[in-house]
Amino acid sequence: MHQYVNAEQKKDLSRHLSVKCNRNSGSKVTDRLQPVEPLKTEGPSIAEIDSKRKRESGVTEASPMRLRMEAFIKEQQDEIVRDLERIDGGAKFRRDTWSRPAGGDGISCVLQDGNVFEKAGVNVSVVYGTLPRAAIQKMRVNHKALDDPSIESLEFFAAGLSLVLHPHNPMAPTVHLNYRYFETMDKTGEGKAWWFGGGTDLTPSYLFDEDAVHFHKTIKEACDKHGRDYYPRFKTWCDKYFYIPHRGESRGIGGIFFDDLDEETSDQESLFSFVQSCCKSFLPSYLPIIERRKNMSFGKNEKAWQQLRRGRYVEFNLVHDRGTSFGLNTPGARVESILMSLPLTARWQYMHEPEIATMEERTLNTLKTPKEWA
Amino acid sequence: MHQYVNAEQKKDLSRHLSVKCNRNSGSKVTDRLQPVEPLKTEGPSIAEIDSKRKRESGVTEASPMRLRMEAFIKEQQDEIVRDLERIDGGAKFRRDTWSRPAGGDGISCVLQDGNVFEKAGVNVSVVYGTLPRAAIQKMRVNHKALDDPSIESLEFFAAGLSLVLHPHNPMAPTVHLNYRYFETMDKTGEGKAWWFGGGTDLTPSYLFDEDAVHFHKTIKEACDKHGRDYYPRFKTWCDKYFYIPHRGESRGIGGIFFDDLDEETSDQESLFSFVQSCCKSFLPSYLPIIERRKNMSFGKNEKAWQQLRRGRYVEFNLVHDRGTSFGLNTPGARVESILMSLPLTARWQYMHEPEIATMEERTLNTLKTPKEWA
C-alpha cells in the first residue's frame, strides 16, 4: 500500500509535467508539427542535442531510450488512428500539433460524432523541462538513482500516449489506454533515473462476459511474455485505481495499470519491450469487441443507461483521476487535450436504480465486485 | 485574501459536516420525517434537549438561533417548492427525508424532467455532532469565542438550505442558492461560536442583460437594508468563488457569496435578519426571469450550446467546488443529495468555440470579465 501511494504521487508528477508541455501554446494549434524552439542557456539544451541527433542519424536501437519511446508512441498513434478511421468508416480524426519553446511537442487526434465513435481521442505528448529540488525529493523514495542530496535540479523528459474511445452504441464499451516514460538527466543528457507507467481498461455500459474475457486474455498474453506476475499484479492495481469511492463501484471492468516501473522490477530494455507489447496488444484487445458491438440494435432505454454510465465516467475523471485534476489545476495547461477523455454527452438522474434482474443491474453488480476474467 | 482563505477552510468544514448528516442513512429514505434517535451519553444530548424544546414550546423568537434557523429554512423550502411546482405546471417534487441517529435530519426535494425544469433540487439538512480539537483549532483564527486552548471537543450544529434549478429552455438560466448557519456549543447547549454563510448566483447559457440586472438589483436591495457594504463585498466574493480557473471564465454572471459572517460583521440577530432577507429575495429575483424565458422558442443549436454550458457547470462543481469534492470524499455521505446539483444532461465537445458576433460569443465574453449589474 505504501509503495502504491508513492507511485501515485509520482504519477501526479509525470502527468503534471506532461500537461505543462503545452503551457506556452495556449489554444494556438497548427496543422503540422512545428520545429522545437530550444530554451537559451549556456550550451545546447538536451532537447536541442536530441533534435540534432534525430535529424542526423534518426532513431535506432542505439539511441537513448527517450528517443526510442517517443518514436514508438508516435508510430503507435498513427497506426491506431488509421485503424480507428477504418472501423468508423466515416469521420476522420482532426489532428492538432504544437511545440513548446523549452523543447517537446504534442499531437492531439480527435474524432467527434463519427459513424461508430461518439468521441475518440488519441494524444501524444513529449516534454523536456527542469525539475526543482522539491520535486526530486518527492521522487527519491522510489528511485535510488536520485539519492544524491547535493543535486539542486535535474533535467527531465516525459513522453506518453493516451487514448479514450467512446462509441455511440451502448452495447460497445468505452476504452482507455495510457503508456508513458519518464526520465531525469544531468546537464549533458546522461540518464539518472527512469520509469515506465500506464495501462488500459474497459468500461462497458452493458457487460458481455465474452468481451471482458477477450480483453483481459489479450492483455494477459502480452504481460505473460515478460513476467508471470505482471498480469495479476497490474490487474489488481487497475481495480484499485479505477475505483469511484463515493459510488462504491469501479469505473469499468478493469484491465491493467502500473506506474513507477524501474530497475527494481526489471532492466530498462525489458520494460520497454513489455510496454511495447502492451501497447501493441491494444488493437487486438479492442477491435474484435467494437466490431461485434457497433451495429447491435438498441433503444431509448439502452441509450439512457449508457448516458448515466457516461456520467460516472465524468465523475471518476473529474473527481478522482489525479492526473486530470492536477492538469486542470496547472495554469496554462492545454485543457482541451486533458478533457478530450470526457464523453460527448452524459446524464445525471436523481436516485436512479436499475430494475432487478436486468442486464443493467447485472453490469452494475459486476462493477461493485471486481472479477477475474483471464 | 487571507480572510478569504480562512473563510473557505471553514466552508469546507461546514459543508463536510452537513454531508456527514447522512452518513448513517445510506440510501434508505422514507416518506416522512422520522423521529430523532439521540446518541446515548450521560445526560440528554443537545439534539434531545432541542427536540423536547420544539415539542413543548415550538420555535419562537426566544428560542436558540439554531432552532430559529432550522424552522426558517424548512418554511422556505416548502414555499420555494410550492412556487416551483406552480411554475412548472406539470411535474411534482419527489420528497426524500431521513434522520441521523446522533441528531438532525434532512429533506431532499427533487423534480426531474418537468415541463419547465429539466432538474430542480431543493435540499435542507440539519446536523448535530461533535467537533474534535483539530477542527476547533482550524476555526480559531476567525472566531474569538473558540480561543480557549483547554477545550478538547465541542458540540456543533449546522443547518442549511441548498437549491439548484436547471430549466429545459436554453434561454432560461440555471440558478443556485445556499444559506447555512453553524454553531458550536458546550455540553449544555450554551452557544460558543456561530456564523452564517451562503449566497446565490445565476448561470445563463444566453445572457439577457435585463435578467442579469433584475437578479442583481433584487439581491442588492435585500443586502442594502442590512449594510451598505454588503452587496459590493459579497458580489466580489461571488465572482471570485464561482470562477473556473482552468477555463479562465466564471460559472455564470454571479450574485452574492459570503461565509463566516459572525460578530465581527454584525450581531447575530442582525445577521439572521440579513440571511432571511437574502433567502426571501430568491423567488422575486428568479421567478420573473423564468416566467419570461420558459416559453421562448429555440432550436437544435441553442440546445447544443446549453449542453456545453452544462458541461462547464459540471466541471466547476466536480473539480472546483470545495463543498462537493469534500462531500464526495467523505465516506458514507448521501451522494445523491450532493450530486443533485448536476444537470440532467451535459456535453463536452473538443475545441468548440462560438462563432464571432453571436449571442453565444457575447455570453462567453461576459463570463470572462465579470461586470457590474446593479
Side-chain angles (χ1 to χ4, degrees):
Chain A
M1 195 59 200
H2 186 66
Q3 164 74 12
Y4 177 70
V5 168
N6 290 329
E8 283 316 296
Q9 289 169 336
K10 216 99 57 46
K11 185 154 154 284
D12 284 355
L13 183 69
S14 34
R15 297 262 200 133
H16 170 56
L17 293 165
S18 82
V19 157
K20 283 184 100 172
C21 158
N22 310 317
R23 65 178 308 160
N24 295 307
S25 68
S27 59
K28 277 171 255 155
V29 286
T30 59
D31 288 321
R32 54 181 203 79
L33 201 62
Q34 292 185 336
V36 167
E37 285 183 77
L39 199 68
K40 289 300 163 214
T41 51
E42 287 162 30
S45 71
I46 300 168
E48 283 174 308
I49 296 169
D50 279 355
S51 194
K52 190 162 173 274
R53 261 192 193 122
K54 283 189 278 185
R55 254 192 336 267
E56 288 174 1
S57 27
V59 178
T60 69
E61 285 187 10
S63 302
M65 182 56 74
R66 56 184 182 269
L67 300 190
R68 294 168 68 195
M69 181 69 173
E70 177 186 339
F72 173 71
I73 58 178
K74 285 180 175 170
E75 270 167 42
Q76 285 291 303
Q77 183 183 34
D78 286 341
E79 197 178 320
I80 290 169
V81 160
R82 204 166 46 236
D83 270 24
L84 294 178
E85 282 182 350
R86 184 179 53 75
I87 295 280
D88 195 77
K92 295 284 168 195
F93 278 82
R94 163 180 175 163
R95 193 180 181 91
D96 290 324
T97 70
W98 66 88
S99 65
R100 63 191 294 271
D105 49 61
I107 311 170
S108 283
C109 298
V110 178
L111 179 158
Q112 237 164 218
D113 230 346
N115 288 338
V116 172
F117 297 107
E118 186 178 286
K119 198 165 171 193
V122 189
N123 191 44
V124 156
S125 74
V126 176
V127 195
Y128 289 84
T130 305
L131 272 181
R133 188 184 175 75
I136 299 169
Q137 277 176 325
K138 273 197 188 170
M139 295 195 304
R140 248 199 268 155
V141 187
N142 291 313
H143 298 292
K144 286 189 189 151
L146 296 176
D147 234 357
D148 178 354
S150 71
I151 296 170
E152 276 307 317
S153 73
L154 273 175
E155 303 302 300
F156 76 86
F157 169 92
L161 170 67
S162 326
L163 165 162
V164 181
L165 313 180
H166 294 290
H168 283 295
N169 195 309
M171 304 299 156
T174 286
V175 70
H176 161 254
L177 166 153
N178 171 260
Y179 290 105
R180 53 191 179 268
Y181 173 73
F182 198 96
E183 188 178 299
T184 60
M185 307 149 289
D186 65 19
K187 303 279 174 203
T188 69
E190 196 58 44
K192 301 285 279 182
W194 55 268
W195 63 92
F196 290 93
T200 181
D201 69 294
L202 198 71
T203 305
S205 297
Y206 287 92
L207 173 63
F208 295 93
D209 286 7
E210 59 172 325
D211 294 354
V213 168
H214 171 78
F215 186 75
H216 275 269
K217 273 204 169 152
T218 311
I219 302 166
K220 183 174 184 297
E221 272 166 32
C223 290
D224 285 354
K225 280 185 258 167
H226 300 272
R228 295 304 295 182
D229 65 326
Y230 283 9
Y231 174 78
R233 190 173 148 202
F234 303 148
K235 194 268 183 198
T236 307
W237 200 340
C238 187
D239 286 336
K240 269 188 199 160
Y241 185 77
F242 292 104
Y243 181 71
I244 313 176
H246 68 263
R247 294 291 188 179
E249 61 188 51
S250 295
R251 185 174 81 172
I253 54 112
I256 53 168
F257 181 87
F258 54 85
D259 204 354
D260 195 40
L261 295 197
D262 62 8
E263 66 280 355
E264 290 196 15
T265 298
S266 190
D267 62 280
Q268 196 184 42
E269 200 60 40
S270 304
L271 285 173
F272 181 44
S273 168
F274 164 61
V275 166
Q276 284 178 300
S277 292
C278 287
C279 212
K280 285 179 187 165
S281 75
F282 169 70
L283 290 169
S285 75
Y286 186 69
L287 295 194
I289 298 174
I290 188 74
E291 289 283 15
R292 62 181 172 239
R293 304 296 160 216
K294 66 179 184 172
N295 295 322
M296 279 180 76
S297 66
F298 64 90
K300 235 177 94 178
N301 290 347
E302 287 75 25
K303 194 67 193 169
W305 172 249
Q306 179 202 49
Q307 293 299 299
L308 288 172
R309 302 312 306 165
R310 296 264 154 101
R312 297 289 209 271
Y313 207 86
V314 171
E315 285 177 33
F316 178 83
N317 286 22
L318 295 185
V319 179
H320 298 291
D321 188 56
R322 295 151 202 248
T324 304
S325 5
F326 214 108
L328 293 184
N329 286 308
T330 302
R334 189 170 190 264
V335 173
E336 289 296 330
S337 294
I338 299 166
L339 295 186
M340 118 200 144
S341 65
L342 299 182
L344 197 58
T345 54
R347 183 178 177 90
W348 284 269
Q349 205 168 318
Y350 179 67
M351 297 293 280
H352 183 277
E353 291 204 12
E355 282 173 43
I356 290 165
T358 56
M359 267 189 86
E360 290 83 1
E361 193 204 31
R362 186 174 168 266
T363 303
L364 195 55
N365 287 343
T366 305
L367 298 180
K368 288 182 179 172
T369 319
K371 279 178 69 166
E372 294 306 314
W373 295 103
Chain B
M1 194 60 201
H2 185 66
Q3 165 73 11
Y4 178 68
V5 168
N6 290 329
E8 283 316 296
Q9 289 168 338
K10 215 99 54 48
K11 185 154 154 284
D12 284 355
L13 183 69
S14 33
R15 297 262 200 132
H16 169 54
L17 293 166
S18 81
V19 158
K20 283 183 101 173
C21 158
N22 310 319
R23 65 177 308 158
N24 295 307
S25 68
S27 59
K28 277 170 257 156
V29 286
T30 58
D31 288 320
R32 53 180 203 81
L33 202 62
Q34 292 184 337
V36 166
E37 285 183 76
L39 199 66
K40 290 297 165 216
T41 51
E42 288 163 29
S45 70
I46 300 168
E48 284 174 308
I49 297 169
D50 280 356
S51 194
K52 189 161 172 276
R53 261 191 194 125
K54 283 188 279 185
R55 255 192 335 267
E56 289 174 0
S57 27
V59 178
T60 69
E61 285 187 14
S63 303
M65 181 57 72
R66 54 184 183 270
L67 300 189
R68 294 169 67 195
M69 181 69 174
E70 177 187 339
F72 173 71
I73 58 177
K74 285 180 174 170
E75 270 167 41
Q76 285 290 303
Q77 184 185 36
D78 285 342
E79 196 179 321
I80 291 169
V81 159
R82 201 164 49 233
D83 269 24
L84 295 178
E85 281 182 349
R86 184 179 52 75
I87 294 280
D88 195 77
K92 296 282 168 198
F93 277 82
R94 163 179 175 165
R95 193 179 181 92
D96 290 323
T97 68
W98 66 90
S99 65
R100 63 193 292 274
D105 49 63
I107 311 170
S108 283
C109 297
V110 178
L111 180 158
Q112 236 164 219
D113 230 347
N115 288 340
V116 171
F117 297 107
E118 188 179 284
K119 199 166 170 192
V122 189
N123 191 44
V124 156
S125 74
V126 176
V127 194
Y128 289 83
T130 305
L131 272 182
R133 188 183 176 73
I136 299 169
Q137 276 175 325
K138 271 195 189 172
M139 296 193 306
R140 248 198 270 155
V141 186
N142 291 315
H143 297 294
K144 285 190 188 146
L146 296 176
D147 235 356
D148 179 353
S150 71
I151 297 169
E152 276 307 317
S153 73
L154 274 175
E155 302 303 299
F156 75 86
F157 168 90
L161 170 67
S162 324
L163 165 161
V164 181
L165 313 180
H166 294 291
H168 283 296
N169 195 309
M171 303 301 155
T174 286
V175 71
H176 161 253
L177 167 153
N178 171 259
Y179 291 105
R180 54 191 178 270
Y181 172 73
F182 199 97
E183 187 178 300
T184 60
M185 304 148 293
D186 65 19
K187 304 279 173 202
T188 68
E190 196 56 45
K192 301 285 281 182
W194 55 268
W195 62 94
F196 290 94
T200 180
D201 68 295
L202 198 71
T203 306
S205 297
Y206 287 93
L207 173 63
F208 294 94
D209 285 8
E210 58 172 326
D211 294 353
V213 169
H214 171 78
F215 186 76
H216 275 270
K217 272 203 168 152
T218 311
I219 302 166
K220 183 173 183 296
E221 273 166 32
C223 291
D224 284 354
K225 280 185 258 167
H226 301 272
R228 295 303 295 181
D229 64 326
Y230 283 8
Y231 174 78
R233 190 174 147 202
F234 304 147
K235 194 266 181 198
T236 308
W237 201 340
C238 187
D239 286 337
K240 269 188 198 160
Y241 185 76
F242 292 104
Y243 182 71
I244 314 175
H246 67 264
R247 295 290 189 179
E249 62 189 50
S250 295
R251 184 174 82 171
I253 55 113
I256 53 167
F257 181 87
F258 54 85
D259 204 355
D260 194 40
L261 295 198
D262 62 8
E263 68 279 358
E264 291 197 14
T265 298
S266 191
D267 62 279
Q268 197 185 41
E269 201 58 41
S270 304
L271 285 172
F272 181 45
S273 166
F274 164 61
V275 165
Q276 285 177 300
S277 291
C278 288
C279 213
K280 285 178 186 164
S281 75
F282 170 70
L283 290 170
S285 76
Y286 186 69
L287 294 194
I289 298 174
I290 188 74
E291 289 284 16
R292 62 181 171 238
R293 304 295 162 217
K294 66 178 186 173
N295 295 320
M296 280 179 76
S297 66
F298 63 89
K300 235 177 94 177
N301 290 346
E302 286 76 25
K303 193 70 193 167
W305 172 249
Q306 179 203 49
Q307 293 300 298
L308 289 171
R309 301 313 306 166
R310 296 263 153 101
R312 296 290 209 275
Y313 207 87
V314 172
E315 285 177 33
F316 177 83
N317 286 22
L318 295 184
V319 180
H320 297 291
D321 188 56
R322 296 154 202 246
T324 304
S325 9
F326 214 108
L328 294 183
N329 287 308
T330 301
R334 188 170 191 264
V335 173
E336 289 296 330
S337 294
I338 300 165
L339 295 186
M340 122 202 140
S341 65
L342 298 182
L344 196 61
T345 54
R347 183 178 176 90
W348 283 269
Q349 203 168 321
Y350 179 68
M351 298 294 279
H352 183 277
E353 291 203 10
E355 281 174 45
I356 290 166
T358 56
M359 266 188 87
E360 290 84 0
E361 194 204 30
R362 186 175 168 267
T363 303
L364 194 55
N365 287 343
T366 304
L367 298 179
K368 288 182 179 172
T369 318
K371 278 178 70 167
E372 294 307 315
W373 295 105

